Amino acid sequence: MTWVLVAIGVLVGAAQWGFPGAITLGFLGWLLGIILKSKARPAPAQSERFDALDRRVAALEARLARVEGLAAGERGVGVAPAQEAVSPAIKEGPAALRVESAPKPAVEPAAIRTAGPDTARATPAPPAKPNFIVAWFTGGNTIVRVGLVILFAGLAFLIKYSVEHQLVPVELRVASVAAVGLALLVVGWRLRSRRAEYALSLQGAGVAVLYLTVFGALRLYGLLPAGAAFVLLAVIAMLSAFLAIAQDSLALAVFGAAGGFLAPILASTGGGSHVMLFSYYLVLNAGIVAVAWFRAWRVLNPIGFLFTFLIGLAWGVRSYRPEHFDTTEPFLVAFFLIYVAIAILFARQQSPAQRNYVDGTIVFGTPIAAFGLQAGLMRDSEFGLAFSSLAGAAIYLALAALLQRARRERWELLAEAFLALGVVFASLAIPLGLDARWTSAAWSLEGAAVVWIGVRQRRPLARAFGALLELGAGAAFFHAYPRLPEGPPLADAVFVGALLVSLAGLWTQRVLSRAGDAVSSRERAVAPAYFLWGIAWWLFAGGHEIQVFIAHPYRVNAMLALVSATAIAFDLVSVRWQWREARWPAWAFAPALLVLALASFATQPHPAASAGWFAWPLALAVHFLLLRRGEESIRVSWLAVLHAFGVIVAAILGAIELEWQAAEYSEPGSAWSLAARIVVPAALVLLISSRAADGRWPVASHAGAYRLGGVIPLVVAMALWSLHINVSHAGGSYRLPYFPLLNAIDLGHIFAALAIVNAWLALRRSGLEAPSALRGTAGAAFAGTIAFIWLNAVLLRTLHHWDDIPYDFDSMASSVEVQAALSVFWAFLALATMIVATRIGRRILWMAGAGLMIVVVAKLVLVDLSRLGGIERIVSFIGVGALMLVIGYFSPVPPRRAQVQA
């Protein structure tokens, strides 16, 4: 309701009388809203309080009679002393009764019993203290007080109207208004004893009228010189303060101050000097300071604050020009210092036990308003706002130090508020005066320091502010990153800025992780993010240096060295400082190696190129050293993953490097270079599966990680290599003739098969089982398929080299020699499979051989009979028939289930 009336007053006033009318009617609407709100509330029950008082007086009289009777009967002594002790209490009222009443006798008289114990002892609850404005309007004659407000506004509009229409001489107008103000003051002062509330109302109106008169005489008419006018204004301000303090009247102080601030608005004609206006307001604010020295009247401070800064803002928007700076800046500084002093004076008058013993509106509103106006004044100065921020920081930090040195409880909260404001202004000065490099660096270090202070003082808001500063530092850095200046290695803007941001993040995480119960559980949960933030900025700083100062071929290996050094350094620090999060780089080192290995494959001709011969062995040595040191600190499940990653990375690097070396000594794409891919993975499988590894670290301690997690991916990779090379390569060896099973590709297959068999035997020795997809029937089918494709490829490559048949699908499919050879070869494979199945009692294997034989027969009837020529048809049919006879002799039926079980 209050703000609705304010809005109506502002709109109506602006429509009728412009800016002065909007201010006046808005103020009146605010007052009316507060009054109506107070009227809507139920008033305290006065009758109940008087009834309680009557009961307490009756109880006291009964006690007095009891005392008199006892004294007369036992000692024969009069009761005058008791009467003298009690009579003042009756005169003073209920508060004194509670203190000076006689002790309760052992047997209460009938009067007390009649009144009842609860009634006699009940103390009425004090009525709620109303708002000071409500108290002023409703505590006495409301009609008179509202009338005074309207009278004051009317006098102001009368002055304005008389100026515009020249109705009476200027001197007479000013003198008449001054006489009205003096009359109100004199009458109010004389009535201060008999009609205190009425008298205070008249005095407040008189003070406001005198303010209006002096200001009008100075600014509108020029009847008074500036010096005399401001002496008079100072006298009126001191008079208003004296009257308010002498009579302990907050309402008089508020009314006088509001009238003084409204006077120039109501009497304004749109012209005049801003120096006069601000000087006048300076005198008014000096009066508020004088009041604050003696009284802690909280509501008086925001009135002066709002009028001063809002009128200053309105003038600045409408009339300020750069040439006004010299005559405006001193007033802004003075107003700022005045309200900083008012905040201190208010806290001085309060007790720390009170809920709001620091006026937050003034403490935090003053720097916000002053800095906003200062920004407008300094918009044409490059570093003006930066120096202003430094000055504000110096003022607040100095005040915080002085208040903390006083070591009084009443100053603690205010000192902390000033300290926070000093930190904020110091933070603002950095981006206003420095480039993004130093801004981000200073903000980051400052944020970390604020977090540390917040932990020490158990201040959540301080810790939150520090965290925001660090995030702001990162945002500022990235925003200005393209424009940062270049410099020498490890001293350029990007590296220095990012390094300091990183150090701040790491320090913050360290502080929070060791804070214990000084921080909340949520903060402890978020603390690890600071470590990741710091590591990310460190890697960014190093990566930028590599990108700018390292030649392109060396960048991947330089990044590898950086990551290796980071991992081992943090691992050493984690042990030294018992820093759990510092072990994380070691935990992530193996996956990082895999990523860098793939990057090396994409950007380097081979891993040993561009100093890779040094970087990769160093990285692998660091990897195994970290694993050895992390046996106790890394979780077992993740530790197994890291060991497996190391095997995979070593296999990738070795395969790529050996292929490149073979291509250099033969030719790219030859059988030697392609077969070299399989050598290192197969050799690693043999090494891991060897009996020598059974009792040595790391295989002995992590058999599952190596013989399952490391070997299984290599086996799958070798199977994929076999499929790829058998389909795509004819097996030509550089400068050597082709011999089946004695060429590079087939020797690679034999070496891989030997490694896989050893891996299977090692699993059995270790008591481990392969994944379900690679054991039992599924595993046999997988291995048999790969072997079948390889053996067919051996046959086809032999036909390609010895019979000059092109090694492609269409040529092979249309060749009668190939078809005849395949029929006989498949029949031979079926024969061998079925005989072996019979010998070892594998029914499924026998069925697989029989199925292959069915395929051969079907091929003979459907394909070979029509496509093959004379000799090819004879060879295929005779060969297949003979092999079937052999099968019938050695393995006529599949092995029985009992045989299989045996």
Side-chain angles (χ1 to χ4, degrees), residues 530-831:
Y530 285 100
F531 185 83
L532 299 178
W533 171 268
I535 285 294
W537 278 98
W538 160 247
L539 294 178
F540 171 77
H544 175 269
E545 298 301 284
I546 292 171
Q547 185 72 20
V548 173
F549 299 105
I550 302 297
H552 184 271
Y554 294 89
R555 289 175 183 171
V556 173
N557 293 327
M559 194 68 190
L560 176 64
L562 173 66
V563 172
S564 302
T566 300
I568 193 65
F570 273 97
D571 187 71
L572 294 173
V573 168
S574 70
V575 176
R576 175 77 174 178
W577 292 350
Q578 296 297 311
W579 192 355
R580 181 176 62 89
E581 287 79 8
R583 301 168 185 163
W584 291 0
W587 299 358
F589 185 60
L593 288 184
L594 180 59
V595 173
L596 290 171
L598 297 176
S600 175
F601 175 73
T603 59
Q604 302 290 329
H606 60 106
S610 305
W613 56 268
F614 173 78
W616 280 110
L618 174 65
L620 290 174
V622 169
H623 165 71
F624 286 104
L625 176 61
L626 293 174
L627 293 180
R628 184 68 170 177
R629 291 170 56 87
E631 289 286 335
E632 301 297 331
S633 60
I634 304 177
R635 262 185 290 179
V636 175
S637 57
W638 183 244
L639 189 61
V641 173
L642 298 182
H643 280 281
F645 264 114
V647 174
I648 295 170
V649 170
I652 292 174
L653 295 173
I656 296 173
E657 181 64 29
L658 194 58
E659 179 187 3
W660 183 86
Q661 295 292 343
E664 286 291 303
Y665 285 97
S666 58
E667 61 181 10
S670 68
W672 293 109
S673 63
L674 295 179
R677 294 180 183 175
I678 204 68
V679 174
V680 172
L684 284 175
V685 172
L686 280 173
L687 178 63
I688 293 170
S689 306
S690 65
R691 290 186 178 276
D694 289 349
R696 295 182 180 179
W697 188 91
V699 178
S701 302
H702 307 280
Y706 283 90
R707 291 179 172 174
L708 286 176
V711 167
I712 296 301
L714 298 186
V715 169
V716 173
M718 288 189 289
L720 295 176
W721 167 83
S722 175
L723 292 174
H724 166 70
I725 201 168
N726 285 322
V727 171
S728 62
H729 201 276
S733 299
Y734 179 72
R735 296 182 180 179
L736 291 175
Y738 178 84
F739 291 99
L741 302 180
L742 295 178
N743 58 82
I745 292 177
D746 293 338
L747 290 174
H749 278 82
I750 295 171
F751 188 43
L754 178 63
I756 293 172
V757 171
N758 274 273
W760 179 71
L761 295 175
L763 284 178
R764 297 186 64 180
R765 289 199 312 272
S766 302
L768 302 171
E769 287 188 353
S772 58
L774 295 178
R775 70 171 184 263
T777 304
F782 175 75
T785 302
I786 298 298
F788 179 75
I789 294 173
W790 169 52
L791 293 174
N792 279 273
V794 172
L795 173 64
L796 296 178
R797 280 194 290 265
T798 302
L799 293 174
H800 163 70
H801 286 281
W802 291 359
D803 203 17
D804 293 329
I805 301 173
Y807 196 76
D808 59 76
F809 181 79
D810 292 336
S811 301
M812 293 289 176
S814 60
S815 171
V816 294
E817 293 86 354
V818 170
Q819 296 303 320
L822 286 175
S823 297
V824 175
F825 185 63
W826 287 359
F828 176 78
L829 291 179
L831 168 64

Side-chain angles (χ1 to χ4, degrees), residues 204-223:
V207 169
V209 169
L210 290 179
Y211 273 131
L212 178 66
T213 303
V214 175
F215 185 82
L218 170 66
R219 180 173 174 181
L220 301 179
Y221 311 119
L223 299 178

